[in-house]
Amino acid sequence: MSPSRTKKELVEEISALRKRVRELELREREYRHTEETLLRSEMKFRTLYDATGDAVMLADEKGFLDCNEAALAVFGCESRERFCSMHPGDLSPPFQPCGTESITLSNRRMAAALEKGRVQFEWVHKRADTGETFLADVLLTAVVLDGKPFLQAVVRDITERRRIEETLRKERDFSSTMIETSPAFLVAVNSDGTIRVMNNSTLRMLGYTLEEVTGKDCLSTLIPHGDRERLLGVISDLMVRVEPTLHENRVLTKDGRELLVEWNGRAIRKPDGSLDYFFGIGADITERKKIEMRLKESEERYRTAIEHSNDGVALDKGGRNVFINRKFLDIFGYESLEDFMQGEEHREAHPDDRERVVEYARRRQQGEPAPSRYEYKGIRKDGTVIYIEASVAMTFFEGEPASLAYLRDVTERREMEERLKAMTTTDELTGLYNRRGFLTLAQQQLKLAERTGKGMELFFIDLDGMKQINDTLGHREGDRALVDVSAILRQTFRKSDIIGRMGGDEFAALAIDTDHESRESLMERLDSILHEFNTHETGGYRLSLSVGTALFEPGDSLDELIARADDLMYQEKNRKKQRI
């Protein structure tokens, strides 16, 4: 201690030293606190750095300085040391590893990031361990550490995202193609009723462009006034239903035509459940409905014709009658369909012929040969035996082969035929009925026509120039001419019609189930066959016939019919003579 220093000075100096020590201790505690804070911050940053799923790297112009765990996984490196030994160009597959071009391009990217502060781009990388390539989104950010510039690179593998995006794009393209090429009506209507979009087919069929309808009110633009209220009801139903609703309504085209469209519509909702728009898929059924209506009308006409037919009608499928008309029941003596159906199948056929009738139906339905016209014995409900003439054709019922039979009660005709067998009714020269046979058979048909209301036409025919043939060529040629006439008449008339030689050169024919239209058809057929005969005839004569006809009217007698037809025949003959 210097003798010159006082005790007071010493005390002050010691006090100053103590203050300095406290300041140093405080600084030491602050430094340690700051150090601990920085350490915790670095540990936190490292944890976040390593925990992120994206690859994060720190690099300068020489290469990588550091990376996180995700970078090792993304690029397939086993350690940070291995990763930091590579240059960014080594991870770019379009160039050879460590190639000059790759390194140059990487350096350009890094320089751009340092200049702009941040650069983001997509780039194809490869994994170090497998060489597998992947597409990545790269973000380069310029950072300064300890006064030196560095680049932080964040790399995100977007291969799967791009694959999903490409899949979604293809699905959108496919859906768009399907919508635009679909022949169906495809329409979307906003919740306020305005038209949102239409596909090309809808626009083409309605005659609009998309610009002309977009944003227009759907009801007033496309829907006829009479259908609007009903469509509003469908829309109300769609708002509370989850599944699509099928309905029909008319649609107006631009030129005012109406199309009938069958719609399958549903409400499309937003994620929050609120209504977004209505979507409808439709098909133009205008022509189909017209066809269905025509088919229905045609079916009704045919059903009416069959139900009121004078013939019994039966439809057989697989050995079972699936349809019979009222006349069928009348023929066989049944009151109702239920009455007939209570018994065994085909009990309307007599046991003697039942097996044959069923066999014909089976063969026909299996495509085997079977007669289209035949007769068989039938049996009425009361046991009376009757004779049936059947005309049968192949058809289909419910997509399967069936037999359609028209049945006629020919019992009276058969009985009459049996009686005629005992009589000499045939003309020996021509093989036709003689006068007696014709009149007898025709009289029976007139009685039948009175009961059934069937139409008949009587033809009275005379061979022109018969005397001249006999005088110039002889009676033998005259007989041959009569035989030729009989052959022509057989070709002209049906087997069910009655043809007779009334005597000399006069013939008569009674056409059954005919009217004036049938008469014209028969006359044309007679003229055609006669012309064909004369064209090919090489004998010494040509045939000419004078014909008179009379249509049967209820109450007519056979004599009256013959007299009317005979009178018209002679008028025709006189006209021919006047033309000569």
Side-chain angles (χ1 to χ4, degrees):
M1 178 179 301
S2 173
S4 61
R5 300 172 64 183
T6 65
K7 183 177 180 180
K8 181 179 179 181
E9 289 176 339
L10 289 174
V11 171
E12 290 177 351
E13 184 177 352
I14 291 171
S15 177
L17 287 173
R18 287 178 178 173
K19 183 178 179 180
R20 179 62 178 167
V21 169
R22 286 197 298 272
E23 289 176 353
L24 290 175
E25 288 177 348
L26 180 60
R27 280 189 174 183
E28 177 67 18
R29 284 198 298 270
E30 289 177 352
Y31 174 79
R32 288 180 181 178
H33 176 73
T34 300
E35 187 178 49
E36 290 175 358
T37 300
L38 288 174
L39 182 61
R40 286 196 299 270
S41 177
E42 181 181 356
M43 291 178 64
K44 182 178 180 181
F45 173 76
R46 172 59 69 177
T47 300
L48 293 174
Y49 184 66
D50 286 334
T52 181
D54 296 332
V56 181
M57 296 85 71
L58 190 65
D60 60 13
E61 70 279 0
K62 296 180 181 180
F64 296 115
L65 301 176
D66 193 13
C67 68
N68 65 350
E69 291 293 334
L72 301 179
V74 168
F75 289 99
C77 286
E78 67 278 5
S79 65
R80 281 188 173 85
E81 291 75 12
R82 170 76 175 91
F83 185 88
C84 292
S85 68
M86 295 186 296
H87 189 275
D90 296 337
L91 303 176
S92 301
F95 310 96
Q96 293 297 322
C98 295
T100 303
E101 292 181 349
S102 177
I103 294 175
T104 300
L105 184 60
S106 297
N107 288 340
R108 287 176 182 172
R109 298 281 191 187
M110 295 170 68
L114 291 172
E115 179 183 352
K116 298 179 180 179
R118 174 173 292 192
V119 175
Q120 188 169 8
F121 56 93
E122 291 181 0
W123 191 248
V124 177
H125 292 79
K126 73 173 184 179
R127 307 190 196 283
D129 54 351
T130 63
E132 175 189 2
T133 61
F134 64 94
L135 182 65
D137 183 49
V138 180
L139 176 63
L140 295 182
T141 304
V143 296
V144 177
L145 298 176
D146 295 333
K148 294 180 60 179
F150 293 91
L151 283 176
Q152 176 183 278
V154 179
V155 177
R156 178 174 293 175
D157 185 349
I158 60 172
T159 306
E160 182 63 17
R161 188 186 77 189
R162 281 305 174 89
R163 185 191 68 78
I164 294 173
E165 289 175 351
E166 181 65 17
T167 301
L168 291 175
R169 184 191 64 78
K170 290 180 179 179
E171 289 180 354
R172 285 195 301 269
D173 290 345
F174 177 76
S175 299
S176 177
T177 302
M178 289 289 289
I179 289 173
E180 291 305 325
T181 60
S182 172
F185 285 82
L186 298 175
V187 179
V189 178
N190 294 315
S191 58
D192 62 358
T194 57
I195 298 171
R196 184 169 185 163
V197 71
M198 289 181 180
N199 70 335
N200 288 334
S201 293
T202 307
L203 294 169
R204 184 172 58 255
M205 286 186 279
L206 297 182
Y208 287 102
T209 64
L210 186 60
E211 292 74 17
E212 288 176 321
V213 295
T214 301
K216 297 294 182 63
D217 180 68
C218 177
L219 288 179
S220 59
T221 304
L222 302 180
I223 308 302
H225 186 76
D227 283 10
R228 293 176 188 175
E229 184 174 350
R230 184 168 58 86
L231 185 58
L232 286 173
V234 173
I235 292 174
S236 297
D237 187 44
L238 285 174
M239 295 179 67
V240 297
R241 292 170 63 96
V242 176
E243 66 276 7
T245 297
L246 189 67
H247 66 282
E248 295 177 6
N249 67 269
R250 294 173 298 163
V251 175
L252 286 173
T253 64
K254 185 178 179 180
D255 58 10
R257 292 179 298 111
E258 290 187 0
L259 303 178
L260 184 60
V261 180
E262 183 179 66
W263 292 99
N264 196 340
R266 70 179 305 163
I268 307 301
R269 301 188 178 279
K270 299 177 182 178
D272 62 2
S274 61
L275 180 64
D276 191 1
Y277 62 93
F278 298 99
F279 182 72
I281 302 176
D284 183 358
I285 60 173
T286 308
E287 288 303 316
R288 190 188 81 188
K289 283 294 183 178
K290 290 180 180 178
I291 293 172
E292 288 176 354
M293 181 61 67
R294 288 196 292 267
L295 287 174
K296 183 178 180 180
E297 291 173 353
S298 176
E299 181 181 348
E300 288 298 324
R301 286 196 298 270
Y302 282 113
R303 179 177 292 277
T304 301
I306 288 175
E307 287 296 342
H308 294 83
S309 172
N310 285 324
D311 293 333
V313 180
L315 186 63
D316 175 285
K317 186 182 79 168
R320 183 172 64 89
N321 282 323
V322 294
F323 172 81
I324 56 176
N325 70 343
R326 179 69 251 177
K327 185 64 177 179
F328 180 97
L329 298 173
D330 293 341
I331 290 174
F332 294 101
Y334 291 93
E335 294 295 328
S336 65
L337 178 62
E338 293 73 17
D339 185 22
F340 175 77
M341 290 299 185
Q342 288 176 359
E344 60 180 321
E345 291 295 336
H346 292 291
R347 60 190 175 125
E348 76 280 3
H350 193 278
D352 293 346
D353 289 345
R354 188 173 300 161
E355 184 176 347
R356 177 167 63 94
V357 172
V358 173
E359 176 63 14
Y360 285 167
R362 183 199 65 78
R363 285 162 53 183
R364 183 174 296 101
Q365 293 172 40
Q366 293 184 359
E368 300 174 8
S372 60
R373 184 184 294 269
Y374 56 90
E375 292 185 6
Y376 66 92
K377 286 194 297 185
I379 184 167
R380 290 171 59 86
K381 181 181 179 181
D382 61 7
T384 303
V385 177
I386 57 177
Y387 289 90
I388 300 296
E389 180 184 75
S391 298
V392 191
M394 172 70 175
T395 186
F396 289 88
F397 180 77
E398 295 180 345
E400 297 181 1
S403 298
L404 180 63
Y406 287 82
L407 310 178
R408 181 173 299 176
D409 184 352
V410 294
T411 305
E412 291 187 16
R413 192 187 75 189
R414 286 291 297 267
E415 291 174 351
M416 179 180 58
E417 289 172 352
E418 292 298 325
R419 289 195 299 270
L420 288 176
K421 286 181 181 179
M423 302 168 58
T424 305
T425 59
T426 306
D427 178 66
E428 291 183 357
L429 176 63
T430 62
L432 300 176
Y433 289 113
N434 59 19
R435 184 179 184 86
R436 179 181 181 184
F438 177 85
L439 294 176
T440 303
L441 200 56
Q443 190 63 50
Q444 293 292 334
Q445 287 297 327
L446 255 68
K447 291 180 180 179
L448 186 62
E450 286 284 1
R451 293 198 304 270
T452 63
K454 293 180 180 178
M456 294 193 301
E457 185 98 17
L458 183 91
F459 292 74
F460 207 83
I461 306 156
D462 183 82
L463 174 59
D464 300 326
M466 180 65 182
K467 184 177 185 302
Q468 183 180 0
I469 295 175
N470 285 332
D471 292 343
T472 58
L473 301 176
H475 287 280
R476 184 172 182 178
E477 286 300 301
D479 288 345
R480 188 167 73 86
L482 294 173
V483 172
D484 289 338
V485 172
S486 68
I488 291 172
L489 295 179
R490 283 194 179 95
Q491 293 179 59
T492 301
F493 294 92
R494 300 164 298 179
K495 290 184 178 180
S496 58
D497 299 331
I498 304 168
I499 311 171
R501 182 185 175 198
M502 305 303 287
D505 57 357
E506 292 182 339
F507 298 82
L510 184 64
I512 311 300
D513 291 346
T514 58
D515 51 22
H516 278 303
E517 292 183 1
S518 302
R519 172 199 175 281
E520 296 298 325
S521 177
L522 287 170
M523 288 299 297
E524 290 176 3
R525 180 173 174 80
L526 176 59
D527 290 340
S528 175
I529 296 172
L530 185 61
H531 176 75
E532 181 74 10
F533 174 85
N534 288 328
T535 301
H536 296 89
E537 172 57 34
T538 58
Y541 58 84
R542 291 172 60 83
L543 296 180
S544 175
L545 302 177
S546 295
V547 182
T549 67
L551 182 65
F552 169 75
E553 299 289 344
D556 283 346
S557 67
L558 184 57
D559 290 339
E560 290 171 338
L561 273 180
I562 294 174
R564 292 206 304 270
D566 184 56
D567 181 63
L568 292 173
M569 181 272 291
Y570 274 105
Q571 291 180 30
E572 172 67 13
K573 183 177 286 290
N574 289 331
R575 284 194 293 271
K576 288 182 179 179
K577 289 179 180 179
Q578 292 172 5
R579 289 196 295 267
I580 297 175

